[in-house]
Amino acid sequence: MLEIKNICKTFNKGTVNEKVALRGVSLTLNDGDFVTVIGGNGAGKSTMLNAVAGVWPIDSGSILLDGVNVAGLPEHKRAKYLGRVFQDPMNGTAATMEIQENLAIAVRRGKSRTLRPGITKKEKQQFKEMLKQLDLGLEDRMTSKVGLLSGGQRQALTLLMATIQKPKLLLLDEHTAALDPKTAAKVLELSDKIIAENQLTAMMVTHNMNDAITHGNRLVMMSEGQIVLDIGGEEKKKLTVEDLLQKFEQVSGEKFANDQALLS
Amino acid sequence: MFDLEILDLFRAMPGSVAQGLIWGIMAIGVFITYKILNFADLTVDGTLGLGGAVAVMLILAGCPPYLVLIASFISGILAGLITGVLHTLLGIPDILAGILTQIALYSINLNIMGKSNQAVSVDQYDLVVSLRYISEAIMVGVIFLIIIIALLYWYFGTEQGYTIRCTGCNENMSRAQGISTGKAKVIGLALSNGLVGLSGALIAQYQGNADVNMGRGAIVIGLAAVIIGEVIGTAIFGKYMNFALKLLFAAIGAIIYYLVITFVLWLGLPSDNMKLFSAIVVALFLAVPYLKNKYNTSFAKAAKKGAE
Ligand SMILES: Nc1ncnc2c1ncn2[C@@H]1O[C@H](COP(=O)(O)OP(=O)(O)OP(=O)(O)O)[C@@H](O)[C@H]1O
Ligand SMILES: [Mg+2]
């Protein structure tokens, strides 16, 4: 499915701000894998996801999606394979456009956009049904501007947009971090549901150790631009937060200095 | 005495309406970049002159004045493409990209005309609009605006139109949804400047000449029209302002702008100060929403509340 081979990324090369963000990351995801990604601030989690999404070109290595190297494709061309939800709820939607218009844009991801209508009657009907499933009352606000929605509603909508066309890979980068605990739990539950129902392959970055353990079938830990831990199968199921903290110390030889992570 | 002066004002008004309608086409062009694409495009000043220069020279060469409008429209598209390429492919910031094209166009317009001013007389040529026939000019202006608004209303409802609106709102999201934001910007700029070029052609025919300085400050008039139109449109229609109404009010803003200008000229403000006046009007309209918001949520107010 996804094969990341030895990718490296250095930001601002040759300047005083030079920052090596990824030092040879390799990771293979099988079909239907749901991987949670943890690691301290600046570990390179977002950078890895952005590398896959093509936000900027990587320095070296390859990124294979179903055997095809996509490392040379610009972001908008890679988009047809990917669904993405970001940390900032403002980021995933167009605030000045209607809910149904946002969905119409998402449903055309990866297709050529012509002079046909931007949204059709049939689609509006379909969107209404889909929004009903979210159970947030959005089906009655299809023509409202997305800017009027709450953060949680926007994340739920972004999730729907990311998966409205089954992506080869779903990338969730701390997509519940900006939400209050109750809303975060709801959006996470929704993510689980969508991933399970559509049998999606997904990567989810989180700072919540508990979430990382209880969700998905695989857990990856990053530190200083490298993957330092990769746990799957039965071992993952039995994992506890204490185990994880211990493993982190073992691998990196230092305490997991992230209070956000310890809180959970 | 006083009555006579009022009559002067009334006599001048149809002319202002005609002028406003024709400049309204440019205002709609500015609306596309400034409001939809969120791109401060200063190409406009050069493009307006380009449209005028192309129109007048082609008419002098014997082309039918109607056909000439198409040529001016296309010349505007090219100008927009250049700014688009400077910005998207060469990474030049939006304002600077526009200024570069604008400055380049000044020389190009001079070259096209061979000198700084070229006249076409309505006595010699069958011009589309002329200030000598104001009621016809108003009719032509209205027809053009209706067609343009209808076409744009349709276009921005298409898949491609959505990409431009989406790019103007959220570039990261657009790319994540597979939209080529660079392409969307170039198309938007081309379309916008095409309309500005067309407007320039009509302005040149209306006033009977093209001048290399005719576009100077056009962007300010365009912004004034867009902002005045938005304020008035929102006051009347509130949240029922749909896209067609927004375009219409950009044009209405231009008409109001010219009526106001006529009014202040009538009051006796020397016409040399017109640009100063325009700049102040735009600055005021841009600042008022900001200041209003700031007043409602100011630190001073918060301090007072806390002290109570
Ligand atoms: N676009 C960029 N330009 C320059 N440096 C960057 C850029 N993106 C990330 N970095 C740097 O790369 C390193 C890794 O950042 P990254 O965002 O991947 O961390 P992260 O693991 O997602 O951390 P967090 O938990 O804080 O989100 C950091 O030092 C960061 O400052
Ligand atoms: Mg991050």
Side-chain angles (χ1 to χ4, degrees):
Chain A
M1 158 82 289
L2 172 72
E3 255 181 282
I4 302 176
K5 284 189 202 155
N6 206 18
I7 55 172
C8 296
K9 179 71 191 178
T10 303
F11 290 108
N12 307 315
K13 219 177 213 153
T15 72
V16 284
N17 293 322
E18 183 168 302
K19 172 79 208 172
V20 184
L22 294 178
R23 23 184 126 229
V25 171
S26 297
L27 181 68
T28 303
L29 265 62
N30 301 313
D31 260 325
D33 264 357
F34 178 2
V35 181
T36 54
V37 183
I38 58 170
N41 289 121
K45 307 179 295 293
S46 298
T47 308
M48 179 172 74
L49 262 60
N50 288 339
V52 173
V55 175
W56 20 250
I58 51 174
D59 300 337
S60 61
S62 57
I63 301 165
L64 277 68
L65 269 173
D66 279 342
V68 181
N69 191 359
V70 296
L73 292 181
E75 188 178 6
H76 71 270
K77 289 210 173 127
R78 255 183 249 190
K80 72 171 148 199
Y81 308 117
L82 305 172
R84 288 159 71 195
V85 185
F86 312 93
Q87 176 172 359
D88 184 351
M90 300 299 161
N91 246 333
T93 45
T96 57
M97 296 179 80
E98 298 171 356
I99 292 177
Q100 56 181 13
E101 289 173 335
N102 272 272
L103 287 166
I105 283 169
V107 101
R108 286 166 178 73
R109 188 169 62 235
K111 301 193 178 131
S112 67
R113 305 186 196 242
T114 63
L115 295 180
R116 285 191 298 259
I119 186 169
T120 64
K121 272 218 181 79
K122 202 172 127 212
E123 284 171 341
K124 286 183 192 171
Q125 210 50 50
Q126 290 167 346
F127 295 162
K128 208 179 183 109
E129 292 304 316
M130 291 173 184
L131 287 168
K132 248 185 218 152
Q133 308 268 309
L134 295 185
D135 200 21
L136 292 168
L138 296 182
E139 65 273 14
D140 302 320
R141 301 173 63 187
M142 299 245 299
T143 56
S144 293
K145 298 272 184 312
V146 172
L148 301 171
L149 303 184
S150 71
Q153 288 171 328
R154 284 177 82 154
Q155 285 307 67
L157 180 64
T158 311
L159 204 52
L160 179 58
M161 288 166 63
T163 53
I164 197 164
Q165 276 203 71
K166 189 178 170 181
K168 283 190 198 291
L169 180 65
L170 179 64
L171 300 172
L172 308 169
D173 190 356
E174 295 189 55
H175 68 308
T176 60
L179 309 176
D180 69 65
K182 218 173 129 192
T183 315
K186 217 175 157 188
V187 170
L188 206 52
E189 191 188 318
L190 181 69
S191 315
D192 261 343
K193 188 173 150 226
I194 291 179
I195 291 170
E197 275 174 8
N198 301 292
Q199 292 154 356
L200 298 175
T201 311
M203 278 207 267
M204 177 173 89
V205 175
T206 177
H207 276 295
N208 187 314
M209 291 253 183
N210 242 330
D211 289 344
I213 290 170
T214 51
H215 295 265
N217 64 333
R218 224 171 123 186
L219 184 148
V220 158
M221 186 188 277
M222 291 189 78
S223 173
E224 298 188 3
Q226 285 178 316
I227 291 182
V228 291
L229 204 62
D230 186 347
I231 306 171
E234 286 304 310
E235 198 187 349
K236 158 101 175 13
K237 281 183 197 149
K238 285 185 272 175
L239 212 60
T240 64
V241 172
E242 287 75 39
D243 289 342
L244 263 188
L245 289 173
Q246 212 180 351
K247 293 231 188 243
F248 185 84
E249 281 175 46
Q250 264 175 24
V251 175
S252 64
E254 57 179 295
K255 290 234 178 265
F256 200 138
N258 191 327
D259 39 12
Q260 244 180 310
L262 287 174
L263 271 177
S264 51
Chain B
M1 272 318 276
F2 191 69
D3 285 4
L4 269 180
E5 282 179 22
I6 287 269
L7 265 180
D8 277 350
L9 178 63
F10 281 133
R11 258 190 224 113
M13 271 164 60
S16 327
V17 172
Q19 242 179 327
L21 285 165
I22 298 170
W23 282 83
I25 296 172
M26 180 209 60
I28 289 176
V30 172
F31 183 91
I32 292 173
T33 44
Y34 183 66
K35 280 287 172 185
I36 300 179
L37 208 49
N38 198 14
F39 189 113
D41 178 29
L42 301 187
T43 319
V44 169
D45 289 20
T47 310
L48 197 89
L50 176 68
V54 166
V56 168
M57 294 318 285
L58 284 179
I59 291 172
L60 291 176
C63 289
Y66 259 106
L67 234 48
V68 158
L69 298 179
I70 297 173
S72 292
F73 180 69
I74 294 171
S75 70
I77 287 179
L78 293 176
L81 284 179
I82 291 170
T83 302
V85 167
L86 287 177
H87 178 63
T88 58
L89 290 188
L90 305 181
I92 298 170
D94 54 356
I95 292 184
L96 200 51
I99 290 178
L100 290 176
T101 314
Q102 181 202 116
I103 292 297
L105 281 172
Y106 188 86
S107 295
I108 290 173
N109 295 344
L110 261 179
N111 276 313
I112 291 174
M113 294 197 290
K115 52 180 183 171
S116 63
N117 189 298
Q118 288 277 9
V120 278
S121 160
V122 70
D123 298 323
Q124 261 176 301
Y125 302 95
D126 190 15
L127 300 181
V128 179
V129 284
S130 166
L131 49 74
R132 291 254 293 280
Y133 308 104
I134 284 178
S135 48
E136 282 88 342
I138 289 178
M139 229 167 60
V140 171
V142 169
I143 291 170
F144 265 92
L145 278 174
I146 289 173
I147 294 173
I148 287 168
I149 290 173
L151 283 176
L152 289 178
Y153 185 74
W154 163 76
Y155 178 71
F156 281 102
T158 66
E159 294 173 339
Q160 202 178 80
Y162 273 37
T163 66
I164 298 176
R165 293 169 55 202
C166 197
T167 299
C169 178
N170 186 341
E171 280 195 52
N172 287 329
M173 171 265 193
S174 299
R175 281 193 293 269
Q177 294 298 345
I179 293 171
S180 163
T181 51
K183 184 176 151 196
K185 283 184 185 178
V186 171
I187 294 176
L189 283 165
L191 182 59
S192 161
N193 280 284
L195 289 173
V196 176
L198 171 66
S199 173
L202 286 168
I203 292 166
Q205 296 197 28
Y206 180 80
Q207 65 193 23
N209 67 77
D211 190 287
V212 73
N213 286 317
M214 68 187 273
R216 182 167 286 174
I219 182 67
V220 178
I221 298 176
L223 287 177
V226 167
I227 297 160
I228 293 171
E230 184 177 33
V231 169
I232 291 175
T234 316
I236 298 174
F237 289 97
K239 61 177 180 174
Y240 298 105
M241 270 282 265
N242 69 10
F243 186 68
L245 281 174
K246 283 183 184 166
L247 294 177
L248 178 65
F249 270 95
I252 289 177
I255 297 172
I256 291 171
Y257 175 85
Y258 273 99
L259 285 173
V260 171
I261 293 290
T262 309
F263 180 68
V264 281
L265 283 177
W266 174 78
L267 285 180
L269 189 81
S271 57
D272 286 349
N273 291 337
M274 235 47 269
K275 293 221 193 302
L276 172 64
F277 175 73
S278 307
I280 292 173
V281 168
V282 172
L284 277 179
F285 269 92
L286 284 174
V288 164
Y290 172 79
L291 292 177
K292 217 160 120 189
N293 183 31
K294 204 170 158 190
Y295 175 78
N296 288 336
T297 59
S298 74
F299 288 116
K301 219 169 170 182
K304 231 188 261 166
K305 279 265 160 64
E308 270 165 15

